[in-house]
Amino acid sequence: MVIALLQRGEVSLTLWLPYIPCRGVQAQSKQRRLSRWLHNSRLNVHRLYKSLIQAALADWQEEILYLSLDTSLFWDEYCLVRLAVVYRGRALPVVWRVLKHRSASIAFRQYWEMLYQAANRLSQGVKVVLLADRGFIHTDAMTAVTTHLGWHYRIRLKRNTWIWRAGHGWCQFKDIHLQRGEAFCWHNVRLHKGDYYGPVHVAFGCNNVNGEFWAIVQ
């Protein structure tokens, strides 16, 4: 089945059939065989995968381990939430969850358990930095990452994020006008006017090629 998946490049039992050795003659019998195996209740994917990922990361040699937290939407019905190790341009899944959810934006309560599951699968004594996009700028997540797990984070901020600076008060990134290539770093600021959080450090700037705005909190 793995070979069939690699050969076809997509998940389709029907397209896998030419690559599956089977005594059955009818295509339907082959397909039923695959379906029975995939729906075997005794196969716990996460339990099996846990030992594999622990072994793969047991002898981590890098100074920092970067974890990527992201979502992917499939058929406007299912949302895949994934935590993966970023290494040499690749993403190695550590833990994941599939939700019946019509949006790629999810709440902290829907993925908090994944953070703790990932912590149990990583090597001890390694500095972990969580990378996430704008949909994960949750204060509960930042608190859990730093206080409970001892990790660090780099999370992208939205342009409508409220920022507080001593002596300047509150403002939003959309009110700050930058030239291409211009960048700043603000230290000891606070986020979210309605959910006061901080102090944190924020780096933001304007891409010198396409003019895209970026802001990262850490």
Side-chain angles (χ1 to χ4, degrees), residues 56-94:
L57 301 176
D59 192 27
W60 186 260
Q61 300 295 324
E62 302 291 328
E63 182 180 355
I64 301 175
L65 187 148
Y66 289 99
L67 269 182
S68 171
L69 174 61
D70 66 357
T71 57
S72 299
L73 196 62
F74 295 95
W75 310 295
D76 294 325
E77 186 174 1
Y78 297 100
C79 180
L80 169 66
V81 190
R82 184 180 65 168
L83 265 171
V85 172
V86 180
Y87 184 65
R88 295 185 177 181
R90 300 288 183 177
L92 179 65
V94 177

Side-chain angles (χ1 to χ4, degrees), residues 7-44:
Q7 290 285 347
R8 297 301 308 189
E10 57 185 304
V11 179
S12 172
L13 300 187
T14 303
L15 297 178
W16 288 0
L17 297 182
Y19 306 93
I20 303 296
C22 181
R23 292 192 298 266
V25 178
Q26 300 291 331
Q28 288 184 345
S29 63
K30 291 185 178 182
Q31 189 166 334
R32 282 195 298 268
R33 178 189 174 199
L34 301 181
S35 182
R36 281 197 303 269
W37 194 89
L38 290 172
H39 290 88
N40 189 336
S41 60
R42 296 186 179 184
L43 294 176
N44 187 313

Side-chain angles (χ1 to χ4, degrees), residues 2 9 12 16 23 46 63 65 70 75-76 81 87 91-93 107 110 117 147 151 159 164 183 196-198 213 218:
V2 173
S12 172
W16 288 0
R23 292 192 298 266
H46 291 281
E63 182 180 355
L65 187 148
D70 66 357
W75 310 295
D76 294 325
V81 190
Y87 184 65
L92 179 65
Q110 295 172 301
Q117 289 175 342
T147 304
W151 297 352
R159 293 211 67 170
W164 179 89
Y196 209 54
Y197 184 84
F213 176 85
Q218 56 180 332

Side-chain angles (χ1 to χ4, degrees), residues 126-140:
V126 177
K127 180 180 179 180
V128 178
V129 177
L130 179 70
L131 310 176
D133 208 350
R134 293 167 291 188
F136 294 97
I137 188 66
H138 303 134
T139 56
D140 289 339

Side-chain angles (χ1 to χ4, degrees), residues 38 46 48 93 124 133 142 202:
L38 290 172
H46 291 281
L48 292 169
Q124 299 298 317
D133 208 350
M142 291 188 285
V202 174

